[in-house]
Amino acid sequence: MGSALSQSIFKLHEQHHSLEDYQGGVPRWCSGCGDNAILAAVQRLCRDENLAPERTVFVSGIGCSSRFPHYMKTYGFHGIHGRAFPIAEGVKMARPDLSVFVNTGDGDCCSIGSAHWIHAIRYNMNLTVILHDNEVYGLTKKQASPTSPLGLKSNTTPRGSVLAPLNPLTVTLGVQNASFVAQAVDWIPEVLYDVIRRAYQHRGFSFVRVVQRCPEWLPKLFEPWLQDPGKTLMLTHPKGLTLSADASRIYPNQREHDPADIHQAREIASCTDPIPVGILYHDPSVPCYEDLRGAGAPRTPEGIRAGLEREFDKFTIWPEGDPSRPAA
């Protein structure tokens, strides 16, 4: 075999990845938890898009969902509560060539991390964001979250929650520069995968809310939707999702929705019964913040050192007449 041919075959083999290349530790989520379905969909996406594990990063905050980086055999950063977005943004600014994902929960994103979430939408950086929304704090044992349904009895609302739940879709669609907003449910794996894949392929801030089950603390919450396929509204469009024949037969409640129509997207996002599933909004023309700011410019050790010295000099108390004191 010729040298050039053998090198080409070796390179082709190197660039192919299997599911096992992305499977990290054994998940510790409860049996039946929707996080497992999201993990399976994302690992399949990585394989199908042939993402190099060494060029892929998963960032999370705190919560059940935020254990996600531990189960991916890629780079990962398990941050502190509510701070996944600024960490991911920092990674993307330094290395815009990397594929960066954010996994966050309804408490992590919509409560303590809400300010970062709002501004991350405005920045429209090229991040794939998956909101794991089970409408309860699961890791800390059943407290009401911002998306908990009205009247939910929990450890923090023993008489029932008195506030209407926050809607992550309408919030995202109400922020300037929103460019991709979608919703999926964990119990329809085929569509869950399709939505996440379309989110990854969009260049910009892709926000996917996944309505998911918590079998430990809210085991019956989504039972009506599982038992009655008519309570799920499938959004279809040539520019959005196209259902397979099997999915179309099981879920006949469908609506053709053009994801370029933000007004109709906001109307659909306000609906909770039936649950809308699909791509609500997509605008690929919104510029990415990292492009506007020239992210990824080469930084030499000398340049980094000089930048640090400039910052330190701002706080240095210089003796009078010191010749090393920088000019004002």
Side-chain angles (χ1 to χ4, degrees), residues 85-90 92-93 115-127 175-179 202-206 286-293:
F85 289 118
I87 294 168
E89 290 159 359
K92 197 66 180 180
M93 285 298 291
H116 294 303
W117 168 37
I118 297 301
H119 291 286
I121 300 167
R122 289 180 59 237
Y123 296 155
N124 190 44
M125 298 182 73
N126 190 21
L127 305 171
V175 178
Q176 191 72 19
N177 288 342
S179 64
H202 167 69
R203 192 170 191 282
F205 186 87
S206 304
V286 181
C288 294
Y289 185 78
E290 62 266 36
D291 296 336
L292 299 174
R293 295 303 302 267

Side-chain angles (χ1 to χ4, degrees), residues 304-324:
I304 294 172
R305 188 177 299 111
L308 288 171
E309 293 294 348
R310 283 195 300 271
E311 293 302 313
F312 292 150
D313 287 346
K314 295 177 183 179
F315 302 96
T316 300
I317 299 175
W318 300 91
E320 287 295 330
D322 190 329
S324 61

Side-chain angles (χ1 to χ4, degrees), residues 92-152:
K92 197 66 180 180
M93 285 298 291
R95 291 290 304 275
D97 57 305
L98 301 180
S99 296
V100 182
F101 295 77
V102 177
N103 292 86
T104 184
D106 43 298
D108 189 62
C109 173
C110 305
S111 181
I112 190 171
S114 58
H116 294 303
W117 168 37
I118 297 301
H119 291 286
I121 300 167
R122 289 180 59 237
Y123 296 155
N124 190 44
M125 298 182 73
N126 190 21
L127 305 171
T128 304
V129 178
I130 303 175
L131 170 63
H132 303 227
D133 190 358
N134 58 12
E135 303 186 2
V136 70
Y137 282 94
L139 186 67
T140 50
K141 313 297 186 279
K142 196 179 181 182
Q143 293 84 29
S145 87
T147 63
S148 292
L150 187 66
L152 177 72

Side-chain angles (χ1 to χ4, degrees), residues 5 14 26 118 126 146 148 164 216 231 247 264 289 292 302 326:
L5 179 59
E14 277 190 321
V26 177
I118 297 301
N126 190 21
S148 292
E216 182 68 23
K231 291 174 71 66
Q264 192 175 79
Y289 185 78
L292 299 174
E302 294 75 17

Side-chain angles (χ1 to χ4, degrees), residues 23-103:
Q23 293 172 343
V26 177
R28 295 177 58 189
W29 294 312
C30 301
S31 177
C33 174
D35 289 334
N36 294 288
I38 298 171
L39 177 66
V42 169
Q43 289 175 337
R44 180 184 166 195
L45 165 77
C46 291
R47 180 201 62 189
D48 293 351
E49 294 290 331
N50 202 29
L51 301 186
E54 70 275 11
R55 299 177 69 85
T56 306
V57 184
F58 285 84
V59 180
S60 68
I62 294 295
C64 293
S65 63
S66 293
R67 293 195 57 83
F68 208 92
H70 296 268
Y71 309 138
M72 295 297 301
K73 199 184 294 183
T74 62
Y75 281 105
F77 196 112
H78 191 167
I80 60 176
H81 206 190
R83 304 300 184 261
F85 289 118
I87 294 168
E89 290 159 359
V91 172
K92 197 66 180 180
M93 285 298 291
R95 291 290 304 275
D97 57 305
L98 301 180
S99 296
V100 182
F101 295 77
V102 177
N103 292 86

